[in-house]
Amino acid sequence: MKIEKNNICIRRATSQDAQNLNKLWNDGAIMVHVGFLDGLNESMETTLNPIHHNPSLYMIEIDGICVGELNFNIQDKTAYPGWKICEPSYQNKGYGTITIQLLFEYLFNTLGVEHIIWDTLEENKRAQHVYTHKLGARYLKTVKDAWIDPLGNKRNALYYQMDREDFNQT
């Protein structure tokens, strides 16, 4: 998959992306919004594993600069994606919303999924605003203590859904 629109490109991650991903994933200031306050603390070898073995790991480029990543899996016509604009200078500029819309268009119109379900941490208010007010997603539920982060904190997750017919009406 490679999706390009204006200055945004979503493309398959390659081994050339490993150094950038490793830097981003190990940075707690970047990973705080997904619950890893100290980053992932992973080796370069560990970073290379999903690049080599996960065909649904993609890079987000803006103006030719890698600024984030996304992934998804599909089960029974339902996609379960995740995404992150990692570079702080590209956050809060609408790129996340556009990237999600491009991904959803691909999942619905090219891969034929019927539903997309994803989650975010309860404290990620910025993401929740995008999902409900900019994308028109439907809030499904909150799962208390959905997981325990590496520092031992219990985290609640909010789940959202977008259906094909809802997306095509936006």
Side-chain angles (χ1 to χ4, degrees):
M1 165 183 105
K2 184 173 184 178
I3 302 169
E4 294 180 280
K5 184 173 184 179
N6 301 327
N7 63 335
I8 298 176
C9 176
I10 301 171
R11 62 163 179 80
R12 173 84 169 86
T14 68
S15 56
Q16 287 78 28
D17 296 309
Q19 186 171 7
N20 187 38
L21 279 173
N22 187 265
K23 176 183 161 253
L24 296 171
W25 288 348
N26 286 331
D27 187 333
I30 290 170
M31 298 301 287
V32 67
H33 297 293
V34 291
F36 293 92
L37 290 89
D38 292 331
L40 296 180
N41 295 310
E42 65 181 32
S43 68
M44 185 62 69
E45 181 179 320
T46 303
T47 301
L48 280 165
N49 190 43
I51 291 173
H52 291 277
H53 302 290
N54 181 355
S56 296
L57 177 61
Y58 296 91
M59 302 305 298
I60 302 166
E61 292 181 347
I62 300 171
D63 296 325
I65 299 167
C66 284
V67 300
E69 50 96 5
L70 66 82
N71 64 77
F72 62 87
N73 65 63
I74 298 172
Q75 298 173 342
D76 301 322
K77 296 229 178 230
T78 300
Y80 300 91
W83 48 75
K84 181 151 185 49
I85 301 292
C86 300
E87 289 293 341
S89 63
Y90 287 86
Q91 295 174 351
N92 296 314
K93 297 189 187 244
Y95 292 121
T97 302
I98 295 168
T99 300
I100 295 166
Q101 289 169 329
L102 290 172
L103 174 62
F104 284 12
E105 183 177 332
Y106 176 79
L107 292 170
F108 286 129
N109 299 334
T110 302
L111 297 186
V113 302
E114 294 295 326
H115 315 281
I116 301 173
I117 297 174
W118 68 98
D119 66 272
T120 191
L121 292 177
E122 185 174 53
E123 60 268 21
N124 193 345
K125 303 297 183 194
R126 184 177 65 194
Q128 294 167 40
H129 175 80
V130 168
Y131 302 156
T132 57
H133 294 95
K134 295 186 178 185
L135 297 174
R138 185 173 70 242
Y139 164 79
L140 289 178
K141 63 183 176 180
T142 298
V143 175
K144 294 276 192 195
D145 303 336
W147 67 288
I148 299 174
D149 72 22
L151 300 178
N153 302 306
K154 292 179 180 180
R155 300 301 194 103
N156 299 334
L158 279 67
Y159 284 80
Y160 292 86
Q161 182 169 332
M162 176 71 70
D163 298 323
R164 175 196 296 270
E165 54 273 1
D166 297 328
F167 181 77
N168 288 330
Q169 292 176 4
T170 59

